[in-house]
Amino acid sequence: MVIFTLLDYIGAMVFAMSGVLTAAEKRLDLFGAMFIGVVTAIGGGTTRDLLIGVTPVTWLSNWHYLAVIMTGIIVAIIFRQTLNKLRRTMFLFDTIGIGVFTIIGLEKALMIGVHPAVAILMGVTSAVVGGVIRDTLTNEVPLIFKKEIYATACIAGALVYLALRWLGLEAGINQLLTVGVIITIRLLSIRYNWSMPVLTIDSEQK
Amino acid sequence: MVIFTLLDYIGAMVFAMSGVLTAAEKRLDLFGAMFIGVVTAIGGGTTRDLLIGVTPVTWLSNWHYLAVIMTGIIVAIIFRQTLNKLRRTMFLFDTIGIGVFTIIGLEKALMIGVHPAVAILMGVTSAVVGGVIRDTLTNEVPLIFKKEIYATACIAGALVYLALRWLGLEAGINQLLTVGVIITIRLLSIRYNWSMPVLTIDSEQK
Amino acid sequence: MVIFTLLDYIGAMVFAMSGVLTAAEKRLDLFGAMFIGVVTAIGGGTTRDLLIGVTPVTWLSNWHYLAVIMTGIIVAIIFRQTLNKLRRTMFLFDTIGIGVFTIIGLEKALMIGVHPAVAILMGVTSAVVGGVIRDTLTNEVPLIFKKEIYATACIAGALVYLALRWLGLEAGINQLLTVGVIITIRLLSIRYNWSMPVLTIDSEQK
């Protein structure tokens, strides 16, 4: 569906922009910002493609994808001050990204016939690994291990998608609906400050 | 051999548990603990599969593997206080894991016909890369670069396996024997405090 | 061309040596130094091979490559004090490495028929990812995100190569010429202290 492809591009672009902003916070140079921008945008989908054996990976065969990402990177480098103030707004687009990436990953995995539980894991991988690589390269413990309902929203969305798919709902409608579910959960979690419990062990307190 | 498959599952489960304990030490949240648990358990085998070109990677096609890992993760999250006190005991199971993973990696590489030296490297990769990813994601220099006879035990075991294989020993017996050798070397190294020499360079001391 | 293969081996060897020196600065042990040496040397080419779908990756099928790398590692471990003083000289060889790796990556990508812009990215990937992994594993923000004209030299060289190729220049001559261009840009950038602009954002200054 055209609208879904469009959402995919928007997601990749916003992920690339978030990479540039992280790079600027860390005072990296122009090349560093581009590198982080690219891996944030493609990291999740690439990991998924490699694991399920789709090579050359998607963005190698479709250069439009890379063009969209590079556009996002250049815009983010030029307007980084403004974008940094708009992070709350960008966050909405970022949420679109994780929603779309989750469903794409889930579908690609189902297509090669894996167990549904494994397919959900591939959906989550598509959505979160780009951010994990971004944070690891800039020498931080990945944000999603510490804050917010992020991956949880992806998992919930993936479960809804699987259920509706099993009930026979048309794929296009199901995709949009599920992305809506993921966005809603994330927005609610921010609004009401939901978060995952933090694990602790006693030896920490000594 | 059934017993070998069982050991493989035990190894993966203990690796997953060690990932959860590391995540708890770092005060990550529930999702972070699951993520680290999964990549610790599958990181080595996945890297090996990708390098030799086996895709979809093993645990994608066999969901039992992931089920075992998730069981380990849930148990480790619930009983993390107890497990943390039992780390010495768990270490024994961890050693079973590296032994089994080394032999599996070695055999898979030999099967595609690479040079024996390259096959040993694939065995070591299977055994150690999961831990390397775990430590990198939690923002630490990997433990195995700094302490203990860990990879060395794998390499020694791999050499023994290759020698006995060349002498015509039956594979099943060879596997169990070699895992025994790896475990013995590690236990002795802990008992007698063996360690690899640390490299230094003068500029450090300025 | 024989000379180009030779340059490829020299590049891999010097990359491996740089990995060992970084490991020694971080006071890692012997195994850590070997591990870092190997991934620095093969990281870029391996990432490229995985992305474009060439498996088993090159150095698995050609054990000479690994033998050259191990030789470099052993030499670097033994003579680390001397090599550390000769870093300026080694840097020249390192530059040969990035030049050769860029062209090899570019050619391999063109061979599978990707868009030239994507092929340039694959060239840069081959040249820089080994160093990025080395720095990430030793818990540093990758050097090339912060200093010097490094990736920029690769990109410029790749553009020259593509232009001359399009003009019909013989591949062997083009390779040597382009490696020369990359080396020249890097040497000039060091001589005259060229560097990429660093990105900053206001929130940093608060």
Side-chain angles (χ1 to χ4, degrees):
Chain A
M1 259 175 65
V2 176
I3 190 165
F4 199 69
T5 308
L6 191 70
L7 290 176
D8 183 16
Y9 282 139
I10 292 177
M13 194 185 262
V14 177
F15 269 48
M17 288 172 155
S18 88
V20 170
L21 292 186
T22 303
E25 272 170 12
K26 289 281 179 170
R27 310 184 72 85
L28 302 188
D29 69 16
L30 218 55
F31 174 74
M34 285 183 198
F35 191 101
I36 303 282
V38 170
V39 298
T40 306
I42 63 164
T46 301
T47 304
R48 177 205 61 221
D49 282 352
L50 291 179
L51 292 175
I52 66 180
V54 174
T55 52
V57 297
T58 319
W59 55 272
L60 274 186
S61 340
N62 174 10
W63 66 271
H64 292 110
Y65 209 78
L66 204 60
V68 166
I69 291 170
M70 287 310 297
T71 308
I73 288 174
I74 293 167
V75 169
I77 288 175
I78 299 176
F79 300 107
R80 61 186 184 278
Q81 307 290 5
T82 317
L83 283 171
N84 199 41
K85 282 168 204 148
L86 294 176
R87 278 214 166 177
R88 294 234 132 228
T89 319
M90 267 187 68
F91 153 84
L92 180 64
F93 292 97
D94 172 73
T95 302
I96 296 176
I98 67 160
V100 176
F101 288 5
T102 302
I103 304 307
I104 292 176
L106 182 63
E107 279 189 335
K108 283 210 176 183
L110 288 174
M111 225 178 294
I112 63 159
V114 301
H115 188 274
V118 178
I120 292 176
L121 189 64
M122 286 299 96
V124 176
T125 298
S126 308
V128 311
V129 169
V132 169
I133 300 178
R134 175 197 63 212
D135 296 343
T136 304
L137 287 179
T138 52
N139 211 3
E140 298 285 342
V141 172
L143 203 62
I144 62 151
F145 295 169
K146 292 187 299 187
K147 287 203 332 191
E148 300 178 17
I149 301 297
Y150 187 103
T152 317
C154 302
I155 296 171
L159 286 171
V160 170
Y161 186 84
L162 282 178
L164 295 179
R165 186 175 183 271
W166 183 74
L167 290 171
L169 189 67
E170 196 269 314
I173 300 174
N174 195 353
Q175 287 166 356
L176 291 183
L177 206 81
T178 311
V179 172
V181 168
I182 295 177
I183 294 179
T184 307
I185 295 178
R186 264 213 93 189
L187 292 185
L188 286 174
S189 80
I190 296 295
R191 180 79 182 73
Y192 296 103
N193 258 317
W194 295 342
S195 66
M196 290 290 268
V198 166
L199 292 191
T200 49
I201 44 177
D202 287 344
S203 62
E204 271 293 283
Q205 294 152 10
K206 279 180 218 166
Chain B
M1 261 175 64
V2 176
I3 190 165
F4 201 67
T5 306
L6 190 70
L7 290 178
D8 183 16
Y9 283 140
I10 292 177
M13 193 183 263
V14 178
F15 269 48
M17 288 172 156
S18 86
V20 170
L21 292 186
T22 303
E25 271 170 13
K26 289 281 179 170
R27 310 184 70 86
L28 302 187
D29 70 15
L30 218 55
F31 175 73
M34 284 182 199
F35 191 101
I36 303 281
V38 171
V39 298
T40 307
I42 63 163
T46 301
T47 304
R48 175 206 62 221
D49 282 352
L50 292 178
L51 293 174
I52 66 179
V54 173
T55 53
V57 295
T58 320
W59 56 271
L60 275 185
S61 340
N62 174 10
W63 68 270
H64 292 110
Y65 210 78
L66 204 60
V68 167
I69 290 171
M70 287 310 296
T71 307
I73 288 174
I74 292 167
V75 169
I77 288 174
I78 298 175
F79 300 107
R80 59 187 184 278
Q81 307 291 4
T82 317
L83 283 172
N84 199 41
K85 282 169 204 146
L86 294 176
R87 278 214 165 176
R88 296 235 130 227
T89 317
M90 267 187 70
F91 152 85
L92 179 66
F93 291 96
D94 172 74
T95 302
I96 296 176
I98 66 161
V100 177
F101 287 6
T102 302
I103 304 308
I104 293 176
L106 181 65
E107 278 189 337
K108 283 209 176 184
L110 288 173
M111 226 178 294
I112 63 159
V114 303
H115 189 273
V118 178
I120 292 177
L121 189 63
M122 286 301 97
V124 177
T125 299
S126 309
V128 309
V129 168
V132 169
I133 300 177
R134 176 197 63 210
D135 296 343
T136 303
L137 286 180
T138 51
N139 211 4
E140 297 285 342
V141 172
L143 204 62
I144 61 151
F145 296 169
K146 292 187 298 187
K147 288 204 328 192
E148 299 177 18
I149 301 297
Y150 188 102
T152 316
C154 302
I155 296 172
L159 286 171
V160 169
Y161 186 83
L162 282 178
L164 294 179
R165 187 174 182 269
W166 184 74
L167 290 171
L169 189 67
E170 196 268 314
I173 301 174
N174 196 352
Q175 287 167 356
L176 291 183
L177 205 81
T178 312
V179 171
V181 168
I182 296 177
I183 295 178
T184 308
I185 295 178
R186 263 212 93 190
L187 293 185
L188 286 175
S189 80
I190 296 295
R191 181 78 183 73
Y192 295 104
N193 257 317
W194 295 341
S195 66
M196 290 289 270
V198 167
L199 290 191
T200 48
I201 44 178
D202 287 344
S203 61
E204 273 293 285
Q205 295 154 8
K206 280 180 220 168
Chain C
M1 262 176 61
V2 176
I3 190 164
F4 200 69
T5 307
L6 190 69
L7 290 176
D8 183 16
Y9 282 138
I10 291 177
M13 194 185 263
V14 178
F15 270 48
M17 287 171 157
S18 87
V20 170
L21 292 186
T22 303
E25 272 171 11
K26 290 281 179 170
R27 310 184 72 86
L28 303 187
D29 70 15
L30 218 56
F31 174 73
M34 284 183 198
F35 191 100
I36 303 281
V38 170
V39 298
T40 307
I42 64 162
T46 301
T47 304
R48 176 206 62 221
D49 281 353
L50 292 178
L51 292 175
I52 66 179
V54 174
T55 51
V57 297
T58 319
W59 56 270
L60 274 185
S61 340
N62 174 9
W63 66 271
H64 292 110
Y65 209 78
L66 204 61
V68 166
I69 291 170
M70 288 310 297
T71 307
I73 288 173
I74 293 166
V75 168
I77 288 175
I78 298 175
F79 299 107
R80 61 188 182 276
Q81 307 290 6
T82 317
L83 282 172
N84 200 41
K85 282 170 204 146
L86 294 177
R87 278 213 166 177
R88 296 235 130 226
T89 318
M90 267 186 69
F91 153 85
L92 179 65
F93 291 98
D94 172 74
T95 303
I96 296 176
I98 68 160
V100 176
F101 287 6
T102 302
I103 304 308
I104 293 176
L106 182 64
E107 279 188 337
K108 284 209 176 184
L110 289 173
M111 226 178 293
I112 63 158
V114 303
H115 188 273
V118 179
I120 292 176
L121 191 63
M122 285 301 96
V124 177
T125 299
S126 310
V128 310
V129 169
V132 168
I133 300 178
R134 175 198 62 212
D135 296 343
T136 303
L137 287 179
T138 51
N139 211 4
E140 297 285 342
V141 172
L143 204 62
I144 63 152
F145 295 169
K146 292 187 297 187
K147 286 203 332 191
E148 300 178 18
I149 301 297
Y150 187 102
T152 317
C154 302
I155 297 172
L159 286 171
V160 169
Y161 186 83
L162 282 178
L164 295 178
R165 188 174 181 271
W166 185 74
L167 290 170
L169 190 66
E170 196 270 313
I173 300 175
N174 196 352
Q175 288 167 355
L176 291 183
L177 206 81
T178 311
V179 172
V181 168
I182 296 177
I183 294 178
T184 308
I185 295 178
R186 264 211 92 190
L187 292 185
L188 286 175
S189 81
I190 295 295
R191 181 78 181 75
Y192 295 103
N193 256 317
W194 295 341
S195 67
M196 290 290 269
V198 166
L199 291 189
T200 49
I201 44 178
D202 286 345
S203 61
E204 272 294 284
Q205 295 153 9
K206 279 179 219 167

